[in-house]
Amino acid sequence: MSKVTTVGIDLAKNTFVLFGLGPKGHSGWKRKVRRKQLLEQLVRLEPCTVALEACGSSHYWARQIRALGHQVELLPPQHVKGYLRGQKNDYNDAQAIAEASEHGRIRPVPIKEVEQQDDQMLHKLRQGVSKDRVRISNQLRGLLAEYGVIMPQGIAALRRELPLALEDADNGLSERARQLLHRQYQRFLEVEQELAWYDQQVKQRSRQDETCRRLQAIPGVGEVVASLLKGWMGDGRQFRRGRDAGAALGLIPRQNSTGGKDVLLGISKRGDPYVRAQLVHGARAVVARADGKMDRLSRWIQRLKAERGFNKATVALANKLVRIAWVIIARGEHYQPSEQRLAV
């Protein structure tokens, strides 16, 4: 096998394509291997750079390949797309990945360790259970409305009012409808118990993790948001400064500028939408309670609310909170409200 300096791998479920580049970017070789043959193929190579797209199973393979002594880079797929030449196939995809790595202008995605993936799995499963609860509650409320029984909005109201509606003999519900609604309500209660278990796991994890405890000192950051930020950001070293973290999470304006004329639109909404949404929810709670307070952060929020409105002030605060979180995670500092280290 000829000397290679960079190997691009197009990942799949069972079949992988490798494209090797030699010194000075000259094309080396290409291979198609089965899943069980991938590590056997790479162990024969001298230590080099192995590039993969950041996609499903990529963090697992990155850890396995790194253990062989290679330098591994995970590249964002949307940026690799620009290096694709010719028609799309596995070989051209692998070549594009290798050339994107050789170019060196794409910031790689940090490789997640097993513990970080465990934390993210916990939040993804919790998010799925939470969606199930909302779906079932909306379904129950809609089915009851078909019989003229109107339930107030909110989970707590449904939990309180639905058993009363099932016991009310004068509301027009048939016996069959009561039986069906009762079964679905029992399922709703089971989902609530499952969600409570996940909430307890998140809180327990946040209490045990020292970084999460420091993050919870930030206004608007509780146990859930702290755990989400820690899982999303990792050690924070992939960002040079806090502003880069805010940009990666999509909390900066989207540009459509040309000819020297700057045009700023709404936020870019890049990155993880669930992390961004939870952070905005936390910021909204802080903005809603800022009136009448005289500390520096509250005065900044009050001025921004008066100039730009509630929603823009909320997003601006969320961006500021991400930048503060980066300082706490990447530099190991503590939040000090007296000094108000808001700009990073």
Side-chain angles (χ1 to χ4, degrees), residues 4 24 36 46 49 52 61 73 85 96 103 117 139 187 234 242 259 289 297 311 316 339 342:
V4 295
K24 299 182 180 180
K36 294 182 179 179
E46 296 182 7
T49 300
L52 310 92
W61 285 114
E73 291 184 351
R85 298 194 301 274
H103 191 212
Q117 284 193 287
Q139 184 185 47
R187 185 182 177 191
R289 292 164 175 78
L297 177 61
N311 290 335
E339 297 181 6
L342 299 179

Side-chain angles (χ1 to χ4, degrees), residues 202-220:
V202 172
K203 293 178 181 179
Q204 181 179 354
R205 175 66 179 167
S206 294
R207 292 166 186 161
Q208 294 174 350
D209 190 271
E210 192 269 338
T211 301
C212 289
R213 291 198 300 268
R214 286 189 284 113
L215 286 172
Q216 291 176 55
I218 305 174

Side-chain angles (χ1 to χ4, degrees), residues 52-332:
L52 310 92
E53 284 186 328
C55 59
S57 77
S58 61
H59 293 279
Y60 162 77
W61 285 114
R63 292 192 298 268
Q64 297 296 314
I65 297 171
R66 185 177 59 186
L68 300 179
H70 299 295
Q71 179 183 347
V72 183
E73 291 184 351
L74 296 182
L75 305 179
Q78 66 270 25
H79 299 319
V80 175
K81 182 70 174 178
Y83 292 86
L84 179 64
R85 298 194 301 274
Q87 301 186 55
K88 186 185 184 311
N89 56 56
D90 293 342
Y91 288 107
N92 287 344
D93 287 345
Q95 181 178 359
I97 295 170
E99 292 181 352
S101 176
E102 281 276 319
H103 191 212
R105 296 298 300 273
I106 300 178
R107 183 171 60 192
V109 176
I111 301 173
K112 292 182 175 63
E113 302 299 335
V114 175
E115 182 181 7
Q116 189 177 357
Q117 284 193 287
D118 290 345
D119 290 340
Q120 290 191 323
M121 181 191 297
L122 174 63
H123 283 284
K124 288 178 182 178
L125 293 175
R126 177 184 177 275
Q127 180 185 7
V129 175
S130 179
K131 288 182 178 180
D132 286 342
R133 182 178 69 162
V134 173
R135 178 183 58 80
I136 294 174
S137 64
N138 289 339
Q139 184 185 47
L140 285 169
R141 193 176 289 107
L143 291 172
L144 284 165
E146 294 292 332
Y147 289 84
V149 181
I150 304 302
M151 291 282 108
Q153 291 185 357
I155 298 295
L158 181 68
R159 191 189 306 114
R160 180 183 66 252
E161 298 292 336
L162 183 53
L164 299 177
L166 295 178
E167 295 176 359
D168 187 359
D170 300 326
N171 57 12
L173 289 175
S174 64
E175 289 300 321
R176 186 180 180 189
R178 293 177 194 277
Q179 181 183 15
L180 295 173
L181 289 171
H182 175 74
R183 291 183 63 87
Q184 190 69 350
Y185 180 64
Q186 294 302 314
R187 185 182 177 191
F188 169 78
L189 294 179
E190 292 175 358
V191 172
E192 279 218 310
Q193 293 178 359
E194 184 75 3
L195 182 60
W197 183 87
Y198 281 107
D199 288 340
Q200 182 62 32
Q201 293 296 310
V202 172
K203 293 178 181 179
Q204 181 179 354
R205 175 66 179 167
S206 294
R207 292 166 186 161
Q208 294 174 350
D209 190 271
E210 192 269 338
T211 301
C212 289
R213 291 198 300 268
R214 286 189 284 113
L215 286 172
Q216 291 176 55
I218 305 174
V221 177
E223 295 169 332
V224 174
V225 177
S227 179
L228 277 170
L229 282 173
K230 171 74 183 311
W232 172 75
M233 196 177 297
D235 59 10
R237 296 177 183 175
Q238 69 273 31
F239 304 118
R240 292 184 302 169
R241 53 186 180 176
R243 293 183 179 181
D244 294 340
L249 201 55
L251 289 169
I252 63 170
R254 180 168 54 90
Q255 290 193 31
N256 187 23
S257 304
T258 184
K261 182 178 181 181
D262 295 333
V263 179
L264 300 180
L265 307 174
I267 60 174
S268 64
K269 294 185 178 181
R270 292 182 176 180
D272 193 318
Y274 183 64
V275 178
R276 181 174 59 252
Q278 295 302 311
L279 190 65
V280 169
H281 289 331
R284 184 180 293 112
V286 177
V287 173
R289 292 164 175 78
D291 293 341
K293 297 182 179 180
M294 298 305 298
D295 60 280
R296 183 180 176 185
L297 177 61
S298 297
R299 293 199 306 269
W300 177 81
I301 294 173
Q302 294 165 18
R303 184 175 68 254
L304 199 59
K305 266 175 46 174
E307 296 175 355
R308 299 298 180 90
F310 186 92
N311 290 335
K312 290 184 178 180
T314 298
V315 175
L317 177 60
N319 185 17
K320 195 175 290 290
L321 297 182
V322 173
R323 292 157 61 178
I324 296 174
W326 177 83
V327 174
I328 292 176
I329 293 175
R331 298 179 182 174

